[in-house]
Amino acid sequence: MQTIAVSHRIRLVPNRTQEDYLRRACGTARFAYNWGLAKWKELYASGGKPSAYELKRQFRQQIDTNFPWVREVTKCAPEQSFNDLAVAFRNFFRKNAKYPNFKKKGKCHDAFYLSNDQFQVTNKRIRIPKLGWVKMREPLRFNGKILAARVSRTADHWYVAIQVEMPKPAETIKTHDAIGVDLGINTLIYCSNGADEKGPRPLRNALQALRKLQRRLSRKQKGSNNRRKAAMKVARLHLRVTNIRKDFLHKQTHALATQYQMVAIEDLHVKGMLKCHNRARSVSDASFGEFRRQLEYKSHWYGSTVVVVDRWYPSSKTCSACGTKNAELAAGDEI
């Protein structure tokens, strides 16, 4: 039986004591990552071969003497940071990411990892080591083997993403054979059957409110509680924009993956499109890359096929019936 790994992100409802623990666990993970990055640079400069295992071993030897406060939170928080650092360097050497940088408090994404033997989930609660039971807004949606979890903070909300290994969903009965999908800015989805869907453009709709909040933030004194509160309001608005965008994309990609046997989509050069400063914000707001990512993994789940069409293929110049290419059509007339 084929299995897939899926993740369910659930909002937590911690009290003040629990929230303080979550913040300290995130800070411990951030400290371990920065400590490991500094040691990695030292070992590499001296001709050594740094690894996550070696950094983890050295860090454990110094906990009781130099970092006793690390014992106050789950052991997974600092130890997984070294694995994350190794992955960051692996992506850098493969030229898939930039050189790893130190994480700064208040500027990085607060999160820490939990292995499957370090937590327990029952109904609407999760048990975290050295903390106890924390309430969740909803129960775990998937049934299967729990692999891991990661607790994170977005704005002033805490979430836990629980990864579950479960059987692959049964292939759905498709009502249509094939469809071609083209992505745009004003109208996000153009379909070959004539249907189209206008994107919600959440960032554009929230731009006036965002500018107002950012002006208020800039006037607050740095380091003050009022500045912290103003920054939290900006973060909440960004979270709302993200949720609206993800909700729309999930609904559209799910419909395409479950209703069509084959979906053809253009191989867009999103990085190149973002270099145009006139349209960069609109391209980011549309999330072309996220649309394709969701469509590909959902098509794999439900037995559909995604065909990525080369970006230089003259689809507008070629007749769909006889295949004749219209050479007189100008390049600017391409959809």
PDB file of all heavy atoms in Angstrom, residues 85-109:
ATOM      1  N   LEU A  85      20.602  23.094  10.571  1.00  0.00           N
ATOM      2  CA  LEU A  85      21.792  23.787  10.075  1.00  0.00           C
ATOM      3  C   LEU A  85      22.482  22.972   8.991  1.00  0.00           C
ATOM      4  O   LEU A  85      22.931  23.518   7.974  1.00  0.00           O
ATOM      5  CB  LEU A  85      22.753  24.051  11.235  1.00  0.00           C
ATOM      6  CG  LEU A  85      24.054  24.782  10.899  1.00  0.00           C
ATOM      7  CD1 LEU A  85      23.756  26.163  10.356  1.00  0.00           C
ATOM      8  CD2 LEU A  85      24.950  24.874  12.131  1.00  0.00           C
ATOM      9  N   ALA A  86      22.576  21.656   9.176  1.00  0.00           N
ATOM     10  CA  ALA A  86      23.187  20.797   8.161  1.00  0.00           C
ATOM     11  C   ALA A  86      22.396  20.834   6.861  1.00  0.00           C
ATOM     12  O   ALA A  86      22.973  20.866   5.764  1.00  0.00           O
ATOM     13  CB  ALA A  86      23.294  19.365   8.686  1.00  0.00           C
ATOM     14  N   VAL A  87      21.064  20.858   6.965  1.00  0.00           N
ATOM     15  CA  VAL A  87      20.229  20.952   5.766  1.00  0.00           C
ATOM     16  C   VAL A  87      20.432  22.294   5.070  1.00  0.00           C
ATOM     17  O   VAL A  87      20.479  22.371   3.830  1.00  0.00           O
ATOM     18  CB  VAL A  87      18.746  20.751   6.137  1.00  0.00           C
ATOM     19  CG1 VAL A  87      17.844  21.044   4.953  1.00  0.00           C
ATOM     20  CG2 VAL A  87      18.510  19.333   6.637  1.00  0.00           C
ATOM     21  N   ALA A  88      20.585  23.373   5.849  1.00  0.00           N
ATOM     22  CA  ALA A  88      20.813  24.696   5.266  1.00  0.00           C
ATOM     23  C   ALA A  88      22.117  24.734   4.483  1.00  0.00           C
ATOM     24  O   ALA A  88      22.179  25.298   3.377  1.00  0.00           O
ATOM     25  CB  ALA A  88      20.824  25.751   6.374  1.00  0.00           C
ATOM     26  N   PHE A  89      23.174  24.120   5.019  1.00  0.00           N
ATOM     27  CA  PHE A  89      24.448  24.085   4.298  1.00  0.00           C
ATOM     28  C   PHE A  89      24.363  23.175   3.079  1.00  0.00           C
ATOM     29  O   PHE A  89      24.965  23.454   2.038  1.00  0.00           O
ATOM     30  CB  PHE A  89      25.565  23.626   5.230  1.00  0.00           C
ATOM     31  CG  PHE A  89      26.230  24.745   5.972  1.00  0.00           C
ATOM     32  CD1 PHE A  89      25.952  24.984   7.305  1.00  0.00           C
ATOM     33  CD2 PHE A  89      27.120  25.596   5.320  1.00  0.00           C
ATOM     34  CE1 PHE A  89      26.561  26.023   7.990  1.00  0.00           C
ATOM     35  CE2 PHE A  89      27.735  26.640   5.993  1.00  0.00           C
ATOM     36  CZ  PHE A  89      27.452  26.858   7.333  1.00  0.00           C
ATOM     37  N   ARG A  90      23.614  22.076   3.180  1.00  0.00           N
ATOM     38  CA  ARG A  90      23.454  21.191   2.033  1.00  0.00           C
ATOM     39  C   ARG A  90      22.747  21.914   0.891  1.00  0.00           C
ATOM     40  O   ARG A  90      23.146  21.801  -0.280  1.00  0.00           O
ATOM     41  CB  ARG A  90      22.665  19.950   2.443  1.00  0.00           C
ATOM     42  CG  ARG A  90      22.633  18.862   1.374  1.00  0.00           C
ATOM     43  CD  ARG A  90      21.801  17.684   1.807  1.00  0.00           C
ATOM     44  NE  ARG A  90      22.216  17.195   3.122  1.00  0.00           N
ATOM     45  CZ  ARG A  90      21.403  17.090   4.143  1.00  0.00           C
ATOM     46  NH1 ARG A  90      20.121  17.422   4.019  1.00  0.00           N
ATOM     47  NH2 ARG A  90      21.834  16.632   5.300  1.00  0.00           N
ATOM     48  N   ASN A  91      21.730  22.688   1.219  1.00  0.00           N
ATOM     49  CA  ASN A  91      21.035  23.458   0.189  1.00  0.00           C
ATOM     50  C   ASN A  91      21.936  24.536  -0.397  1.00  0.00           C
ATOM     51  O   ASN A  91      21.854  24.847  -1.596  1.00  0.00           O
ATOM     52  CB  ASN A  91      19.769  24.092   0.775  1.00  0.00           C
ATOM     53  CG  ASN A  91      18.718  23.068   1.136  1.00  0.00           C
ATOM     54  OD1 ASN A  91      18.671  21.981   0.561  1.00  0.00           O
ATOM     55  ND2 ASN A  91      17.870  23.396   2.100  1.00  0.00           N
ATOM     56  N   PHE A  92      22.806  25.111   0.442  1.00  0.00           N
ATOM     57  CA  PHE A  92      23.732  26.130  -0.055  1.00  0.00           C
ATOM     58  C   PHE A  92      24.731  25.532  -1.035  1.00  0.00           C
ATOM     59  O   PHE A  92      24.989  26.103  -2.109  1.00  0.00           O
ATOM     60  CB  PHE A  92      24.462  26.774   1.122  1.00  0.00           C
ATOM     61  CG  PHE A  92      25.644  27.611   0.711  1.00  0.00           C
ATOM     62  CD1 PHE A  92      25.461  28.830   0.083  1.00  0.00           C
ATOM     63  CD2 PHE A  92      26.947  27.174   0.945  1.00  0.00           C
ATOM     64  CE1 PHE A  92      26.555  29.605  -0.309  1.00  0.00           C
ATOM     65  CE2 PHE A  92      28.031  27.938   0.560  1.00  0.00           C
ATOM     66  CZ  PHE A  92      27.838  29.159  -0.072  1.00  0.00           C
ATOM     67  N   PHE A  93      25.303  24.379  -0.704  1.00  0.00           N
ATOM     68  CA  PHE A  93      26.283  23.760  -1.589  1.00  0.00           C
ATOM     69  C   PHE A  93      25.646  23.258  -2.886  1.00  0.00           C
ATOM     70  O   PHE A  93      26.316  23.152  -3.915  1.00  0.00           O
ATOM     71  CB  PHE A  93      26.987  22.609  -0.874  1.00  0.00           C
ATOM     72  CG  PHE A  93      27.925  23.067   0.213  1.00  0.00           C
ATOM     73  CD1 PHE A  93      27.799  22.603   1.511  1.00  0.00           C
ATOM     74  CD2 PHE A  93      28.916  23.985  -0.069  1.00  0.00           C
ATOM     75  CE1 PHE A  93      28.663  23.035   2.514  1.00  0.00           C
ATOM     76  CE2 PHE A  93      29.787  24.421   0.925  1.00  0.00           C
ATOM     77  CZ  PHE A  93      29.664  23.949   2.220  1.00  0.00           C
ATOM     78  N   ARG A  94      24.365  22.952  -2.834  1.00  0.00           N
ATOM     79  CA  ARG A  94      23.647  22.553  -4.048  1.00  0.00           C
ATOM     80  C   ARG A  94      23.112  23.757  -4.819  1.00  0.00           C
ATOM     81  O   ARG A  94      22.405  23.593  -5.818  1.00  0.00           O
ATOM     82  CB  ARG A  94      22.476  21.631  -3.688  1.00  0.00           C
ATOM     83  CG  ARG A  94      22.915  20.272  -3.147  1.00  0.00           C
ATOM     84  CD  ARG A  94      21.708  19.449  -2.736  1.00  0.00           C
ATOM     85  NE  ARG A  94      22.101  18.143  -2.218  1.00  0.00           N
ATOM     86  CZ  ARG A  94      21.258  17.254  -1.704  1.00  0.00           C
ATOM     87  NH1 ARG A  94      19.961  17.546  -1.658  1.00  0.00           N
ATOM     88  NH2 ARG A  94      21.686  16.094  -1.261  1.00  0.00           N
ATOM     89  N   LYS A  95      23.427  24.956  -4.317  1.00  0.00           N
ATOM     90  CA  LYS A  95      23.022  26.213  -4.945  1.00  0.00           C
ATOM     91  C   LYS A  95      21.510  26.374  -4.985  1.00  0.00           C
ATOM     92  O   LYS A  95      20.960  26.988  -5.909  1.00  0.00           O
ATOM     93  CB  LYS A  95      23.608  26.321  -6.362  1.00  0.00           C
ATOM     94  CG  LYS A  95      25.127  26.336  -6.388  1.00  0.00           C
ATOM     95  CD  LYS A  95      25.676  26.504  -7.788  1.00  0.00           C
ATOM     96  CE  LYS A  95      27.200  26.545  -7.763  1.00  0.00           C
ATOM     97  NZ  LYS A  95      27.765  26.698  -9.123  1.00  0.00           N
ATOM     98  N   ASN A  96      20.841  25.831  -3.970  1.00  0.00           N
ATOM     99  CA  ASN A  96      19.406  26.000  -3.849  1.00  0.00           C
ATOM    100  C   ASN A  96      19.022  27.073  -2.833  1.00  0.00           C
ATOM    101  O   ASN A  96      17.834  27.377  -2.685  1.00  0.00           O
ATOM    102  CB  ASN A  96      18.747  24.674  -3.437  1.00  0.00           C
ATOM    103  CG  ASN A  96      18.879  23.617  -4.504  1.00  0.00           C
ATOM    104  OD1 ASN A  96      18.942  23.920  -5.691  1.00  0.00           O
ATOM    105  ND2 ASN A  96      18.936  22.362  -4.098  1.00  0.00           N
ATOM    106  N   ALA A  97      20.003  27.605  -2.115  1.00  0.00           N
ATOM    107  CA  ALA A  97      19.726  28.613  -1.091  1.00  0.00           C
ATOM    108  C   ALA A  97      20.984  29.433  -0.861  1.00  0.00           C
ATOM    109  O   ALA A  97      22.085  29.080  -1.321  1.00  0.00           O
ATOM    110  CB  ALA A  97      19.260  27.956   0.211  1.00  0.00           C
ATOM    111  N   LYS A  98      20.840  30.543  -0.129  1.00  0.00           N
ATOM    112  CA  LYS A  98      21.969  31.389   0.197  1.00  0.00           C
ATOM    113  C   LYS A  98      22.728  30.821   1.395  1.00  0.00           C
ATOM    114  O   LYS A  98      22.289  29.885   2.040  1.00  0.00           O
ATOM    115  CB  LYS A  98      21.494  32.811   0.510  1.00  0.00           C
ATOM    116  CG  LYS A  98      20.841  33.510  -0.676  1.00  0.00           C
ATOM    117  CD  LYS A  98      20.420  34.930  -0.306  1.00  0.00           C
ATOM    118  CE  LYS A  98      19.782  35.635  -1.495  1.00  0.00           C
ATOM    119  NZ  LYS A  98      19.365  37.020  -1.151  1.00  0.00           N
ATOM    120  N   TYR A  99      23.870  31.425   1.676  1.00  0.00           N
ATOM    121  CA  TYR A  99      24.682  30.983   2.809  1.00  0.00           C
ATOM    122  C   TYR A  99      23.908  31.221   4.101  1.00  0.00           C
ATOM    123  O   TYR A  99      23.302  32.277   4.293  1.00  0.00           O
ATOM    124  CB  TYR A  99      26.004  31.755   2.841  1.00  0.00           C
ATOM    125  CG  TYR A  99      27.005  31.200   3.821  1.00  0.00           C
ATOM    126  CD1 TYR A  99      27.864  30.173   3.450  1.00  0.00           C
ATOM    127  CD2 TYR A  99      27.089  31.696   5.124  1.00  0.00           C
ATOM    128  CE1 TYR A  99      28.793  29.657   4.346  1.00  0.00           C
ATOM    129  CE2 TYR A  99      27.997  31.191   6.028  1.00  0.00           C
ATOM    130  CZ  TYR A  99      28.847  30.171   5.627  1.00  0.00           C
ATOM    131  OH  TYR A  99      29.765  29.652   6.525  1.00  0.00           O
ATOM    132  N   PRO A 100      23.896  30.259   5.021  1.00  0.00           N
ATOM    133  CA  PRO A 100      23.120  30.409   6.271  1.00  0.00           C
ATOM    134  C   PRO A 100      23.579  31.615   7.083  1.00  0.00           C
ATOM    135  O   PRO A 100      24.780  31.880   7.204  1.00  0.00           O
ATOM    136  CB  PRO A 100      23.397  29.095   7.011  1.00  0.00           C
ATOM    137  CG  PRO A 100      23.789  28.126   5.952  1.00  0.00           C
ATOM    138  CD  PRO A 100      24.504  28.920   4.903  1.00  0.00           C
ATOM    139  N   ASN A 101      22.628  32.326   7.639  1.00  0.00           N
ATOM    140  CA  ASN A 101      22.895  33.496   8.468  1.00  0.00           C
ATOM    141  C   ASN A 101      22.458  33.224   9.903  1.00  0.00           C
ATOM    142  O   ASN A 101      21.671  32.304  10.169  1.00  0.00           O
ATOM    143  CB  ASN A 101      22.148  34.720   7.937  1.00  0.00           C
ATOM    144  CG  ASN A 101      22.654  35.169   6.582  1.00  0.00           C
ATOM    145  OD1 ASN A 101      23.857  35.123   6.327  1.00  0.00           O
ATOM    146  ND2 ASN A 101      21.750  35.580   5.721  1.00  0.00           N
ATOM    147  N   PHE A 102      22.977  34.020  10.817  1.00  0.00           N
ATOM    148  CA  PHE A 102      22.572  33.916  12.211  1.00  0.00           C
ATOM    149  C   PHE A 102      21.124  34.388  12.360  1.00  0.00           C
ATOM    150  O   PHE A 102      20.687  35.317  11.681  1.00  0.00           O
ATOM    151  CB  PHE A 102      23.494  34.757  13.098  1.00  0.00           C
ATOM    152  CG  PHE A 102      24.893  34.226  13.192  1.00  0.00           C
ATOM    153  CD1 PHE A 102      25.915  34.787  12.447  1.00  0.00           C
ATOM    154  CD2 PHE A 102      25.185  33.149  14.019  1.00  0.00           C
ATOM    155  CE1 PHE A 102      27.208  34.298  12.536  1.00  0.00           C
ATOM    156  CE2 PHE A 102      26.475  32.655  14.117  1.00  0.00           C
ATOM    157  CZ  PHE A 102      27.486  33.225  13.369  1.00  0.00           C
ATOM    158  N   LYS A 103      20.415  33.740  13.260  1.00  0.00           N
ATOM    159  CA  LYS A 103      19.021  34.087  13.519  1.00  0.00           C
ATOM    160  C   LYS A 103      18.955  35.140  14.618  1.00  0.00           C
ATOM    161  O   LYS A 103      19.535  34.961  15.688  1.00  0.00           O
ATOM    162  CB  LYS A 103      18.231  32.843  13.939  1.00  0.00           C
ATOM    163  CG  LYS A 103      18.097  31.805  12.839  1.00  0.00           C
ATOM    164  CD  LYS A 103      17.235  30.649  13.277  1.00  0.00           C
ATOM    165  CE  LYS A 103      17.047  29.643  12.155  1.00  0.00           C
ATOM    166  NZ  LYS A 103      16.156  28.524  12.567  1.00  0.00           N
ATOM    167  N   LYS A 104      18.221  36.198  14.356  1.00  0.00           N
ATOM    168  CA  LYS A 104      18.095  37.298  15.313  1.00  0.00           C
ATOM    169  C   LYS A 104      16.718  37.278  15.950  1.00  0.00           C
ATOM    170  O   LYS A 104      15.711  37.062  15.277  1.00  0.00           O
ATOM    171  CB  LYS A 104      18.325  38.641  14.603  1.00  0.00           C
ATOM    172  CG  LYS A 104      18.351  39.829  15.548  1.00  0.00           C
ATOM    173  CD  LYS A 104      18.655  41.106  14.789  1.00  0.00           C
ATOM    174  CE  LYS A 104      18.682  42.301  15.730  1.00  0.00           C
ATOM    175  NZ  LYS A 104      18.962  43.566  15.006  1.00  0.00           N
ATOM    176  N   LYS A 105      16.683  37.484  17.257  1.00  0.00           N
ATOM    177  CA  LYS A 105      15.421  37.481  17.985  1.00  0.00           C
ATOM    178  C   LYS A 105      14.504  38.585  17.458  1.00  0.00           C
ATOM    179  O   LYS A 105      14.909  39.733  17.302  1.00  0.00           O
ATOM    180  CB  LYS A 105      15.683  37.699  19.482  1.00  0.00           C
ATOM    181  CG  LYS A 105      14.428  37.666  20.338  1.00  0.00           C
ATOM    182  CD  LYS A 105      14.759  37.856  21.793  1.00  0.00           C
ATOM    183  CE  LYS A 105      13.496  37.837  22.664  1.00  0.00           C
ATOM    184  NZ  LYS A 105      13.809  38.038  24.094  1.00  0.00           N
ATOM    185  N   GLY A 106      13.274  38.206  17.166  1.00  0.00           N
ATOM    186  CA  GLY A 106      12.312  39.159  16.640  1.00  0.00           C
ATOM    187  C   GLY A 106      12.347  39.319  15.141  1.00  0.00           C
ATOM    188  O   GLY A 106      11.457  39.924  14.553  1.00  0.00           O
ATOM    189  N   LYS A 107      13.387  38.768  14.490  1.00  0.00           N
ATOM    190  CA  LYS A 107      13.527  38.882  13.043  1.00  0.00           C
ATOM    191  C   LYS A 107      13.378  37.538  12.333  1.00  0.00           C
ATOM    192  O   LYS A 107      13.225  37.505  11.113  1.00  0.00           O
ATOM    193  CB  LYS A 107      14.892  39.483  12.690  1.00  0.00           C
ATOM    194  CG  LYS A 107      15.137  40.871  13.256  1.00  0.00           C
ATOM    195  CD  LYS A 107      14.244  41.908  12.603  1.00  0.00           C
ATOM    196  CE  LYS A 107      14.571  43.309  13.102  1.00  0.00           C
ATOM    197  NZ  LYS A 107      13.706  44.346  12.486  1.00  0.00           N
ATOM    198  N   CYS A 108      13.443  36.446  13.075  1.00  0.00           N
ATOM    199  CA  CYS A 108      13.378  35.118  12.476  1.00  0.00           C
ATOM    200  C   CYS A 108      12.053  34.445  12.827  1.00  0.00           C
ATOM    201  O   CYS A 108      11.275  34.956  13.645  1.00  0.00           O
ATOM    202  CB  CYS A 108      14.554  34.254  12.934  1.00  0.00           C
ATOM    203  SG  CYS A 108      14.518  33.858  14.680  1.00  0.00           S
ATOM    204  N   HIS A 109      11.824  33.315  12.215  1.00  0.00           N
ATOM    205  CA  HIS A 109      10.597  32.550  12.469  1.00  0.00           C
ATOM    206  C   HIS A 109      10.806  31.692  13.709  1.00  0.00           C
ATOM    207  O   HIS A 109      11.643  30.799  13.728  1.00  0.00           O
ATOM    208  CB  HIS A 109      10.284  31.677  11.259  1.00  0.00           C
ATOM    209  CG  HIS A 109       9.031  30.868  11.401  1.00  0.00           C
ATOM    210  ND1 HIS A 109       7.787  31.443  11.542  1.00  0.00           N
ATOM    211  CD2 HIS A 109       8.825  29.530  11.433  1.00  0.00           C
ATOM    212  CE1 HIS A 109       6.874  30.505  11.646  1.00  0.00           C
ATOM    213  NE2 HIS A 109       7.468  29.330  11.584  1.00  0.00           N
TER     214      HIS A 109
END
